[in-house]
Amino acid sequence: MFTPFQNEPYVNFAEPDVRSKMLAALQKVESELGKTYLPVIGGQHIETGQIAVSVNPARREQVIGYVHEATESLAESAVQAGREAFRSWSRVPVDVRARYLVKVAALLRRRIYEFSAWMVLESSKSWLEAYADTAEAVDFLEFYAREAVRICRPHPTTDYSGEENEVMYLPMGVGVSISPWNFPLAIMAGMAVSAVVVGNTVIMKPAEQTPVIAAKFMELLEEASLPPGVVNFLPGRGEIIGEYLTGHTQIPFVSFTGSRDVGLHIYQRTSTPQPGQRWLKRAILEMGGKDATVVDEGVDLDAVAEGVVAGAFGFQGQKCSACSRLIAHTAIYDALLEKVVERAKALTLGNPASPDNVSMGAVIDEEAYQKIRSYIEIGRSEGRVVLDGSGADASEGWFLAPTIVADVAPSARIAQEEIFGPVLAVIRADDFDHALAIANDTDYGLTGALYSNNRAHLERARHEYMVGNLYLNRKCTGALVDVQPFGGFKMSGTDSKAGGRDYLHHFLLAKSVSERW
Ligand code: NAD
């Protein structure tokens, strides 16, 4: 019924036409700053009086918007609104549910520059990073719509004489999706609509740092006439409303993307049945990373340096997939380090809302800024700081330039702990075996890259490099929907593979029905 899925193409901001569309979008969004946004529960917009202010990380005095944060009692209302809406939504034919998503994708595509501009301002993404985030949101909507239609049909079983047998897929009820700020549109939207398109209803809880882009997405859902209560928009504090919802007896699934500590806490919480709870909760948990790029001898070092710098410093290193460890064969270590430093120095830093189309903006907030700086200090005692980004001018925004620490031991803190900022630890390896062992020697297992021309090494990596997303001879960031389904091993999460063909099953119950004639 729909045309085959295709990824939304990127644009080239060097082209004058593209550039002027982005500048016009930024101007439009800047003229709309400072508005107030409300939680939306069962279609009702509700004032709570607990107002949080969202500001531009690159220009702290610039208010993006004011958001009324939800309370526990509003979270309870959201559960009840979701339960009520589930009764009818779960019986809406899947084709119809899918059309809502395709319509939202069309609305978003028409305003792709505008939504990207909101992210430039609220999360300090560069133009390209923001555009890629919006394009990924479009992809999730389009892809999950088609996947729901494919999956939500009776599945064939082996014939058994005298009986009719089928396996059907049923939605579970009202769930909660709890998202991070670093892909404030794509991940937030993808987590919510994936659950909804297969017949669940959802409470969409965005990150505290990026509630305005979330509210703009909720406006799109309303514009597409999604029935009230199917998606309930609940901005607010994770430790209050998130905590309340993950322990709620009437929530059968929690879909979470965020840090390891919070993910592990939710894992424990959802696995402990509460009095009156009648099911085992599902927890889909996608968490942090300490991703490595392994570089063998005999490769094109310019291509490697380009991939490493893009992977390490794109969106200021604030990606779960970011390259935070460069593990280089000793034969090419010094030459590669020099090239990586040279390229990192050439990156431009500034307010991404300026017409300059800078490569890097500010880090998300003061807490992140202080945490990253403290890791740079730790780095001074754990290696040789060959590029120090800690002195960037932070008088107006939370700016940090790229930092590169060389000669780091594999067990050092900056080689083991997720920093989530523009800090790269460089580690020397004796040979490929040593490099692979170092790459695997962390708690995490999200993404990893290997540059090599040695077929035997590439093949070993396919089997032995313990990451959910392995990239051979390319950078470790930039997974595309249904091209590289995304999710990590080990302490990086439950390997749910967002944007992949198994994903929607996380939100479904498989029911075997047998009728004897
Ligand atoms: P975070 O864990 O601080 O917050 C994520 C969400 O959890 C937010 O909405 C927050 O309000 C909520 N939360 C906080 N405490 C909670 C509680 N007690 N109960 C329920 N919800 C609670 O993470 P963040 O800083 O927003 O995001 C960055 C992290 O996300 C990094 O670790 C990054 O690696 C990870 N991440 C992972 C993936 C992936 O696919 N694996 C993708 C993006 C980001």
Side-chain angles (χ1 to χ4, degrees), residues 382-431:
E382 290 189 329
R384 181 165 55 97
V385 178
V386 289
L387 189 62
D388 185 347
S390 63
D393 178 4
S395 54
E396 291 188 6
W398 304 116
F399 289 106
L400 286 166
T403 294
I404 299 177
V405 188
D407 308 342
V408 174
S411 58
R413 282 187 65 193
I414 62 163
Q416 291 289 332
E417 297 172 18
E418 188 183 45
I419 301 171
F420 220 56
V423 181
L424 177 67
V426 189
I427 304 169
R428 188 187 291 269
D430 301 337
D431 53 25

Side-chain angles (χ1 to χ4, degrees), residues 465-484:
Y465 203 152
M466 285 305 291
V467 292
N469 284 69
L470 175 64
Y471 298 98
L472 302 176
N473 290 322
R474 54 152 288 183
K475 69 183 168 96
C476 63
T477 55
L480 291 171
V481 169
D482 199 39
V483 178
Q484 294 102 2

Side-chain angles (χ1 to χ4, degrees), residues 287 439-445 466-467 488-494:
M287 293 138 57
N440 282 334
D441 185 22
T442 74
D443 295 346
Y444 294 105
M466 285 305 291
V467 292
F489 297 169
K490 296 160 75 183
M491 284 293 176
S492 290
T494 48

Side-chain angles (χ1 to χ4, degrees), residues 294-297 325 327-331 410 427-441 450-452 454-461 464-466:
V294 171
V295 188
D296 211 349
E297 56 185 339
R325 294 180 297 155
I327 305 168
H329 191 294
T330 187
I427 304 169
R428 188 187 291 269
D430 301 337
D431 53 25
F432 173 73
D433 280 6
H434 187 210
L436 188 57
I438 295 169
N440 282 334
D441 185 22
L450 165 63
Y451 286 87
S452 178
N454 182 318
R455 175 54 45 201
H457 292 173
L458 292 163
E459 293 303 320
R460 275 191 53 203
E464 296 174 28
Y465 203 152
M466 285 305 291

